[in-house]
Each structure stands twice: as structure tokens, then as C-alpha cells.
């Protein structure tokens, strides 16, 4: 990244990162660098990095490929699953095309079946993720991480040493620290950037193949934002909103636009695109390196976990630290775990944090944009009234 560029141009570069990296992933293949694709935040990136492979997020949030998948899958399946499978069977995602291995996980029943179907035409390794956060579950997850390492060593004919893994832990922690430092600029009031700009960087960074350079670029961007921050004394800030729920990105960014086009500002993303997977680091001092990796990923506060106290803890901390005025939960239609958990999230936000909450059940289509604008306009107006 050239730091003399204007901030809007830099944000746009991150927004276009998925397209820009298409050629880079082809170069990796030409150089015989293994490419490991994954959809979920539970994928332990450190194992891929340790063997010298490139871990990459796979395409999964387009209405266009939903329609392709519906020629095979039931229409009432979660749109994230349909979009992911649609990209795969239509060969429209270069990252999937060039992946030597796709690492899946047993997060929900729909994804398990999707991976089963993908395995008919792609090498898929499925990790068994326990859904009960217990010590027994943690031990099983540690064993699954080692099983993944063993599989990759055999498949790619490499040896992954403990030092390789420790190096990868440091590298991935550096990336997480840079991203966390960036999203924490939104604690300032008024905020220095738009929530949409922040999301462009968070979402685009998952398609950066050069982890170390990506961390450096993000740190430079954060420096640039902070150096140019000049709050106007006495200026009233816009209502500050946190988005939680399903992963956000691609065609679902309509939620962010609806909020910010109608007078609010998204100061925090608790979901997988934001703090959920960045908040905690892998313990670099733990002598049990696989146990350390297992703990970092296993205790991600995803709705598929029970009990899911970690999500509530993170939500409460972010509401306080980012001085949130209201919470919007984005629920993809057909995502039963997030929809069911929205009951406890609503109760926590409304009854314990005493701030307004609204949920939005949607998909990747653009047909509900008018309705979204109406609802978000009313929500933001209510928050503005409470600020007076």
C-alpha cells in the first residue's frame, strides 16, 4: 500500500481485495505453493501457514450463486450455504478452483452436508468441532487440529515442526493485533471513519495472501487515520450502532449502508467479520502449542456453541468500550442457531445493557433494501431521540 494515497482510495483497495488476489492465487499455484481454502472462522490458519501454504477465505456471499445452487439444493437452506455451494459447482470462485484442499468443520448440519457434496469433486477435510464448550470438547478439538496437521503432512509430503507452528502463531497474532488496533479507532467519538470503510478493510483483509505485509499495511493505515483525526469540540456524534449476528460481507453489506445512509454510524462488528475471531490471540508462551491453538479457536463465541457465554461477554464488553447506543442483529434466513440465540441476545442487550435492539432477517437479495431503509431510519431516529 502506498501511504501517500488518499484514505478513500485505500479503503476502496481493500474493498476490491478479493478480485485483486485472484491473479495472486494463480501465481501461488504456478510456484507450487499449496493453497488451503476455508469458509469458517474455526479453521486453524496456523497449521496451513506453518507448512508454507496460503490459507484463503472462499467465496460465499453472492445472490448470483444462490440461484445457481437452488437448481440442486432446497430453497429454504441458509443463503450462505447456497452461495458457497453455488460458487463451487459453477467454478466462479478462483480461490476454490485453485485450492488444493478445502478444510471444513461440523458447525451446522447444512454445512456438513454441503462439505459431503463438495467432496465428490474436491479434496475436503472435515474437522469435527464439538458444539459443547467443555474441557472434554476442548481436548477433542486439540486432537482434530493435530489430525489436520498429520493429514496435511501426508498429503503434501512435508514435515511441520513445532518451530514452524510457533512461527505461524506469531505471524497470525501479528495480523490479528493489526486488525484489532484498526477497529478500535471506532472507540473515538465522533468516529474517524465510516463503518463501511472499516468493514471494507476487515472483509478485504481475509483475501490478503501476504500476511506479514498485510499487517504492516493495516498498521500504516491505522496510523494515518489517527494522525489525521481532528475532533470538532462540541460536535454531536451520530448514533453509534453495533452489528452482531451472522457473518457480514458481500451482498449483505446492504445492512451497513441502510444504517449509515439513514443517519447512524456502525462503530463495531461483533460477528465473524469483526471482533469475534480477532479479539483473542493464541498464547505464544504456552508450551503446548496445539492446546494453545485449540483454546483460541474453540472458545470463539459462535451461536453453534452451547453454552455460548463467550459471545455475551464479548458483546457486553464491546457495548461498553465502543459506547454503543443500539444493537442491530443481522440474521440470515434459515440460520436457525443464530435466530434461536437472538432471543438471549435481545434480552441481554435490552434488559442488562439497557439499550435498544433490533433484528433483521434477510438474505443476499436486494429486494428488501426499501424495507431495510425504512426500518433503519426509524431505529436511528429513535436513538437520536434518546440522545437528546
Amino acid at each position: 500500500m502506498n501511504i501517500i494515497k488518499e484514505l478513500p482510495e485505500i479503503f476502496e483497495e481493500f474493498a476490491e481485495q478479493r478480485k485483486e488476489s485472484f491473479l495472486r492465487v494463480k501465481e501461488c499455484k504456478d510456484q507450487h505453493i499449496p493453497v488451503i481454502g476455508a469458509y469458517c472462522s474455526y479453521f486453524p490458519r496456523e497449521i496451513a501457514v506453518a507448512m508454507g501454504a496460503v490459507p484463503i477465505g472462499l467465496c460465499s456471499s453472492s445472490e448470483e450463486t444462490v440461484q445457481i445452487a437452488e437448481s440442486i439444493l432446497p430453497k429454504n437452506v441458509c443463503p450462505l450455504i447456497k452461495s458457497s455451494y453455488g460458487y463451487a459447482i459453477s467454478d466462479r470462485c478462483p480461490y476454490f478452483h485453485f485450492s488444493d484442499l478445502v478444510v471444513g468443520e461440523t458447525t451446522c448440519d447444512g454445512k456438513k452436508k454441503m462439505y459431503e457434496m463438495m467432496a465428490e469433486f474436491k479434496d475436503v477435510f472435515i474437522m469435527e468441532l464439538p458444539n459443547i464448550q467443555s474441557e472434554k470438547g476442548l481436548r477433542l478439538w486439540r486432537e482434530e487440529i493435530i489430525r489436520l496437521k498429520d493429514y496435511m503432512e501426508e498429503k503434501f509430503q512435508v514435515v511441520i515442526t513445532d518451530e514452524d507452528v510457533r512461527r505461524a502463531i506469531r505471524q497470525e497474532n501479528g495480523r490479528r493485533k493489526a486488525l484489532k488496533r484498526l477497529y478500535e479507532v471506532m472507540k473515538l467519538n465522533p468516529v474517524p471513519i465510516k463503518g463501511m470503510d472499516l468493514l471494507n478493510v476487515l472483509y478485504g483483509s481475509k483475501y490478503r495472501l501476504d500476511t506479514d505485509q498485510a499487517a504492516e499495511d493495516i498498521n500504516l493505515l491505522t496510523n494515518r487515520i489517527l494522525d489525521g483525526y481532528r475532533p470538532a469540540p462540541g460536535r454531536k456524534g451520530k448514533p453509534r450502532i453495533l452489528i452482531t449476528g451472522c457473518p457480514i460481507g458481500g451482498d449483505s453489506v446492504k445492512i451497513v449502508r441502510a444504517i449509515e445512509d439513514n443517519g447512524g454510524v456502525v462503530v463495531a462488528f461483533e460477528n465473524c467479520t469483526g471482533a469475534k475471531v480477532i479479539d483473542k490471540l493464541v498464547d505464544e508462551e504456552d508450551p503446548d502449542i496445539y492446546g494453545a491453538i485449540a483454546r483460541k479457536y474453540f472458545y470463539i463465541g459462535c451461536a453453534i456453541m452451547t453454552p455460548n457465554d463467550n459471545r455475551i461477554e464479548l458483546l457486553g464488553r464491546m457495548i461498553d468500550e465502543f459506547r454503543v447506543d443500539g444493537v442491530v442483529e443481522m440474521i440470515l434466513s434459515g440460520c436457525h442457531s443464530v435466530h434461536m440465540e437472538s432471543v438471549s441476545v435481545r434480552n441481554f442487550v435490552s434488559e442488562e445493557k439497557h439499550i435498544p435492539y433490533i433484528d433483521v432477517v434477510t438474505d443476499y437479495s436486494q429486494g428488501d433494501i426499501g424495507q431495510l431503509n425504512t426500518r433503519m431510519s426509524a431505529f436511528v431516529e429513535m436513538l437520536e431521540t434518546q440522545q437528546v
Side-chain angles (χ1 to χ4, degrees):
M1 182 192 302
N2 187 341
I3 200 61
I4 66 172
K5 293 179 180 177
E6 294 298 319
L7 285 178
E9 186 178 359
I10 297 173
F11 292 134
E12 185 62 27
E13 286 182 357
F14 274 98
E16 295 296 316
Q17 188 62 57
R18 183 165 71 94
K19 296 177 183 177
E20 292 297 321
S21 294
F22 286 168
L23 293 177
R24 174 73 181 109
V25 76
K26 172 65 166 56
E27 292 173 2
C28 289
K29 292 294 295 183
D30 291 342
Q31 297 168 16
H32 305 291
I33 299 173
V35 177
I36 313 298
Y39 294 99
C40 186
S41 300
Y42 284 101
F43 167 51
R45 290 170 53 94
E46 286 79 3
I47 304 304
V49 172
M51 66 159 277
V54 171
I56 191 71
L58 300 176
C59 312
S60 60
S61 53
S62 169
E63 171 64 12
E64 179 185 13
T65 54
V66 164
Q67 296 173 13
I68 295 171
E70 285 180 345
S71 65
I72 300 174
L73 303 181
K75 289 190 176 183
N76 61 349
V77 170
C78 165
L80 187 149
I81 292 173
K82 289 189 289 187
S83 179
S84 302
Y85 190 70
Y87 269 116
I89 61 174
S90 64
D91 203 23
R92 297 192 182 196
C93 178
Y95 301 127
F96 185 91
H97 177 84
F98 288 117
S99 288
D100 298 286
L101 176 68
V102 170
V103 177
E105 73 306 313
T106 56
T107 45
C108 75
D109 292 339
K111 288 178 74 177
K112 284 188 289 188
K113 286 300 174 182
M114 179 188 75
Y115 292 132
E116 183 180 316
M117 296 169 72
M118 280 183 178
E120 296 175 2
F121 53 90
K122 196 73 171 179
D123 189 1
V124 178
F125 182 92
I126 301 178
M127 302 181 71
E128 183 178 351
L129 176 67
N131 297 144
I132 296 179
Q133 290 189 331
S134 63
E135 286 301 313
K136 181 179 180 180
L138 177 61
R139 289 194 297 271
L140 175 57
W141 185 235
R142 179 184 181 278
E143 293 172 2
E144 286 296 283
I145 291 173
I146 294 175
R147 188 170 71 89
L148 173 63
K149 177 191 78 78
D150 293 344
Y151 181 84
M152 292 174 66
E153 285 182 321
E154 181 178 356
K155 175 179 175 62
F156 296 103
Q157 293 297 292
V158 296
V159 175
I160 301 174
T161 67
D162 286 358
E163 186 50 44
D164 291 332
V165 177
R166 292 191 185 281
R167 170 185 52 78
I169 289 173
R170 292 191 295 270
Q171 187 173 334
E172 285 298 305
N173 275 349
R175 182 182 64 87
R176 295 185 188 104
K177 289 176 184 176
L179 287 168
K180 185 174 182 179
R181 181 170 174 257
L182 171 67
Y183 74 66
E184 287 185 343
V185 304
M186 304 301 276
K187 292 180 179 180
L188 296 170
N189 192 17
V191 294
I193 60 175
K194 296 178 180 179
M196 193 67 229
D197 292 332
L198 173 64
L199 180 61
N200 283 338
V201 180
L202 293 174
Y203 186 70
S205 65
K206 71 185 241 183
Y207 296 105
R208 288 290 298 264
L209 309 186
D210 49 348
T211 302
D212 288 334
Q213 185 61 50
E216 181 180 341
D217 287 348
I218 292 166
N219 278 320
L220 288 172
L221 173 59
T222 305
N223 292 342
R224 178 80 174 274
I225 292 169
L226 294 174
D227 289 345
Y229 182 65
R230 299 291 184 271
R235 177 179 146 205
K236 179 183 175 183
K238 297 179 179 180
R240 302 167 63 86
I241 293 173
L242 177 149
I243 293 182
T244 185
C246 292
I248 191 165
D251 288 344
S252 62
V253 299
K254 60 185 178 180
I255 304 289
V256 183
R257 293 197 180 98
I259 293 170
E260 300 199 323
D261 287 349
N262 288 285
V265 59
V266 179
V267 298
F269 297 91
E270 182 274 336
N271 45 21
C272 287
T273 318
K276 194 185 295 291
V277 294
I278 305 168
D279 182 63
K280 297 289 173 60
L281 304 177
V282 178
D283 185 355
E284 297 180 17
E285 305 302 322
D286 194 327
D288 179 8
I289 53 177
Y290 297 104
I293 294 172
R295 275 188 294 278
K296 182 265 176 292
Y297 287 94
F298 186 62
Y299 290 114
I300 290 174
C302 178
I304 54 95
M305 288 294 182
T306 184
N308 194 16
D309 298 335
N310 291 317
R311 182 184 180 193
I312 298 299
E313 185 276 330
L314 177 59
L315 262 176
R317 183 154 41 90
M318 294 185 74
I319 287 171
D320 293 340
E321 293 178 0
F322 289 81
R323 290 173 281 184
V324 171
D325 297 310
V327 171
V328 174
E329 180 153 24
M330 195 274 283
I331 304 169
L332 290 174
S333 57
C335 184
H336 303 306
S337 55
V338 172
H339 210 163
M340 287 290 291
E341 193 167 88
S342 67
V343 176
S344 57
V345 171
R346 176 191 292 273
N347 292 339
F348 172 74
V349 173
S350 303
E351 298 175 10
E352 295 192 36
K353 305 309 290 185
H354 305 291
I355 60 174
Y357 164 99
I358 187 173
D359 62 41
V360 176
V361 180
T362 187
D363 54 22
Y364 295 138
S365 71
Q366 303 302 296
D368 61 351
I369 288 179
Q371 182 186 57
L372 282 174
N373 279 310
T374 300
R375 294 189 68 195
M376 292 303 106
S377 177
F379 188 65
V380 170
E381 183 177 353
M382 177 185 64
L383 298 179
E384 289 174 333
T385 302
Q386 294 184 354
Q387 286 182 331
V388 176

